[in-house]
Amino acid sequence: MEKPAASTEPQGPRPALGRESVQVPDDQDFRSFRSECEAEVGWNLTYSKAGVSVWVQAVEMDRTLHKIKCRMECCDVPAETLYDVLHDIEYRKKWDSNVIETFDIARLTVNADVGYYSWRCPKPLKNRDVITLRSWLPMGADYIIMNYSVKHPKYPPRKDLVRAVSIQTGYLIQSTGPKSCVITYLAQVDPKGSLPKWVVNKSSQFLAPKAMKKMYKACIKYPEWKQKHQPHFKPWLHPEQSPLPSLALSELSVQHADSLENIDESAVTESREERAGGAGGEGSDDDTSLT
């Protein structure tokens, strides 16, 4: 088995906002992401309840862009199980009720690939999609998965969706014991549009916590589900299992936010359905689909 490894060239981390060429993150990028996940200065706590905390941070250069950070304590879930759940694209289609469509496109290295993800936004906003370069790295008992947006010649923006931009998004999973861990989700995404304030508030105070809790429930059910669905197929751990075609980095280019159309949805009001149900695209808490 090839061991996933990142370059150890002595160079500073590439800032997420300043990429000019597509590159697979190196060790310093992973360390930089971890440091940002663990940082406290400059973050405003907006939610803290039942082991789930959410912080937001306005990006100075553009006040319409916000970073969001969510952290959840996971009892009865080993770090390696949570890592598997986040990687397993077939299982995500079962538990992630936000997803419209998701698939892997190609493999770049043993620990990097390119994929597509589209998701439902709170009604009546338009739904979004992204093409991202995703990379991952086990770090002892901890794990990091992170991504940023790229352009792929065969997957241009669609007319029925708004192409968003992941400036930097990812997960830090830290083991706290044989059967427990803490997960931190950090996202800086340009939704390509002026969103109304209720969306920002709802995302940090309701949607993000609910999504984390849904992920936790999915982790609890994953071992049983996986036993029935190719239990030994884990290409994120065993790269030789990957059925994906290889792709050269030169085929990709950086997806700059300013090259995409902005959608002004700042005046959009929350639908009656959203106010009444509070679903916001998260769907119900019914877990029957996880069997």
Side-chain angles (χ1 to χ4, degrees):
M1 170 183 166
E2 296 177 85
K3 182 181 177 181
S7 168
T8 55
E9 295 178 8
Q11 61 183 37
R14 291 178 289 277
L17 291 172
R19 286 191 185 91
E20 292 302 328
S21 62
V22 175
Q23 300 178 54
V24 174
D26 61 21
D27 285 342
Q28 292 190 43
D29 291 317
F30 281 102
R31 286 195 295 268
S32 177
F33 179 81
R34 180 178 190 136
S35 295
E36 191 163 7
C37 285
E38 295 175 338
E40 297 181 1
V41 176
W43 289 92
N44 299 314
L45 182 68
T46 61
Y47 180 97
S48 183
K49 185 178 180 181
V52 178
S53 300
V54 182
W55 296 263
V56 295
Q57 181 185 83
V59 180
E60 290 183 7
M61 65 187 69
D62 188 341
R63 302 298 291 184
T64 65
L65 288 182
H66 283 76
K67 291 184 181 180
I68 187 169
K69 179 162 61 177
C70 311
R71 185 170 295 143
M72 177 173 63
E73 300 170 8
C74 300
C75 300
D76 305 318
V77 175
E80 55 267 29
T81 297
L82 183 42
Y83 184 63
D84 287 349
V85 167
L86 291 174
H87 270 291
D88 198 321
I89 196 167
E90 293 305 316
Y91 190 56
R92 178 172 284 274
K93 295 173 185 177
K94 296 288 185 180
W95 68 266
D96 185 354
S97 52
N98 268 347
V99 68
I100 298 173
E101 185 179 17
T102 183
F103 53 86
D104 297 326
I105 296 172
R107 183 171 72 153
L108 299 172
T109 68
V110 294
N111 66 318
D113 61 19
V114 178
Y116 174 86
Y117 181 79
S118 58
W119 70 95
R120 298 178 182 89
C121 291
K123 296 177 182 178
L125 299 180
K126 294 183 178 180
N127 295 328
R128 262 68 175 174
D129 71 350
V130 288
I131 302 286
T132 60
L133 186 158
R134 183 183 61 157
S135 55
W136 54 93
L137 191 67
M139 303 176 74
D142 303 337
Y143 304 88
I144 289 178
I145 305 172
M146 60 186 189
N147 71 61
Y148 67 92
S149 281
V150 294
K151 287 193 288 188
H152 190 294
K154 294 184 179 179
Y155 298 93
R158 293 167 44 172
K159 292 182 179 180
D160 59 327
L161 296 167
V162 176
R163 179 60 51 88
V165 176
S166 168
I167 297 169
Q168 182 165 277
T169 302
Y171 301 91
L172 168 63
I173 305 167
Q174 297 171 292
S175 177
T176 55
K179 294 185 178 181
S180 62
C181 64
V182 171
I183 180 171
T184 302
Y185 168 72
L186 177 66
Q188 183 177 352
V189 177
D190 186 337
K192 291 314 299 173
S194 300
L195 297 178
K197 190 173 182 179
W198 66 263
V199 172
V200 178
N201 292 339
K202 187 168 187 174
S203 294
S204 62
Q205 297 175 21
F206 180 81
L207 299 183
K210 185 172 182 179
M212 296 294 273
K213 293 170 186 175
K214 197 169 187 68
M215 182 194 301
Y216 173 77
K217 290 181 180 180
C219 289
I220 295 295
K221 293 177 177 288
Y222 182 70
E224 181 181 357
W225 181 90
K226 188 60 176 172
Q227 280 300 313
K228 302 174 184 176
H229 300 83
Q230 296 182 288
H232 302 296
F233 182 71
K234 295 183 178 182
W236 53 93
L237 298 179
H238 310 291
E240 68 277 5
Q241 295 179 346
S242 176
L244 295 176
S246 296
L247 182 71
L249 283 175
S250 58
E251 295 292 312
L252 304 171
S253 55
V254 176
Q255 178 66 78
H256 293 292
D258 56 11
S259 68
L260 294 169
E261 180 185 3
N262 272 307
I263 307 296
D264 187 359
E265 296 176 301
S266 58
V268 171
T269 57
E270 189 173 12
S271 71
R272 182 179 301 177
E273 177 185 347
E274 292 293 326
R275 287 195 300 270
E282 282 298 318
S284 70
D285 285 326
D286 178 18
D287 293 322
T288 56
S289 63
L290 301 183
T291 57

